[in-house]
Amino acid sequence: MPELPPPHIRTARPDDDGELGLLDRLAWSHLHAVMPEPQPPYAPFFSERHTPEDCLVAELDGRLAGYVHLGFPTPLDSNRHVRQIQGLAVAEEARGRGVGRALVRAAVEVSHRRGARRITLRVLGHNTPARALYEAEGFVVEGILPEEFLLDGAYVDDVFMGRFL
């Protein structure tokens, strides 16, 4: 079986807004989302909090296959050395092709290049595929808020993970 080409990772562009918004809505699940399922009218994908410059996208076969949002955990200057993964999604048809791993690695590299010393994230306790990916990429559990969210009738832990760069 021939090896599939790796995804191409690039910084998002403003004109990716519609396609990323659609991918985000199609990927929505209580496995990773704490917000209710999006309903029309849909908000723009990019905002003041998440600009195209803060988003990396993965392309496979010339099509958008996933994204990762990078941001700061707080607005404080004393916390500017830390970046945070604030969203990660992979299109269903692209899962299992290394897109998520490539996006996490790119987020780590970009964060380091931008001067960060650490990168953190929050993941739901029941999202075992994401937790396994993050652990494989060097993230460790740094804290757990037990039963922090009530999602689809079940209480779910909020897990804080991080790694030094």
Side-chain angles (χ1 to χ4, degrees):
M1 185 166 161
E3 189 171 320
L4 297 170
H8 170 69
I9 308 294
R10 64 170 173 81
T11 303
R13 299 183 294 254
D15 64 345
D16 291 323
D17 189 273
E19 196 172 354
L20 285 168
L22 178 60
L23 179 131
D24 206 40
R25 291 189 298 275
L26 292 173
W28 184 93
S29 161
H30 272 307
L31 183 63
H32 61 81
V34 296
M35 300 295 290
E37 186 170 4
Q39 300 296 320
Y42 301 116
F45 183 79
F46 296 119
S47 66
E48 283 185 27
R49 182 172 178 232
H50 292 119
T51 66
E53 296 79 30
D54 300 325
C55 184
L56 301 173
V57 298
E59 294 176 331
L60 276 177
D61 308 321
R63 296 183 53 200
L64 202 127
Y67 74 83
V68 62
H69 271 302
L70 280 171
F72 293 99
T74 74
L76 302 171
D77 284 341
S78 59
N79 192 228
R80 301 301 276 183
H81 64 284
V82 180
R83 295 296 187 281
Q84 187 174 57
I85 292 176
Q86 296 179 337
L88 173 72
V90 175
E92 188 171 344
E93 64 273 10
R95 292 181 188 156
R97 293 189 58 188
V99 173
R101 185 172 310 280
L103 285 166
V104 170
R105 287 179 178 174
V108 166
E109 179 189 326
V110 165
S111 296
H112 187 310
R113 209 174 37 223
R114 292 180 182 174
R117 293 180 40 126
R118 286 179 29 82
I119 185 169
T120 64
L121 58 89
R122 295 168 68 173
V123 61
L124 295 175
H126 65 215
N127 192 345
T128 52
R131 290 181 65 178
L133 168 63
Y134 298 137
E135 288 173 7
E137 292 303 315
F139 287 81
V140 297
V141 173
E142 296 181 338
I144 297 174
L145 297 176
E147 298 186 0
E148 186 70 4
F149 297 104
L150 177 61
L151 303 174
D152 203 26
Y155 290 100
V156 180
D157 296 348
D158 188 10
V159 180
F160 291 76
M161 299 182 80
R163 64 169 276 188
F164 284 93
L165 302 175

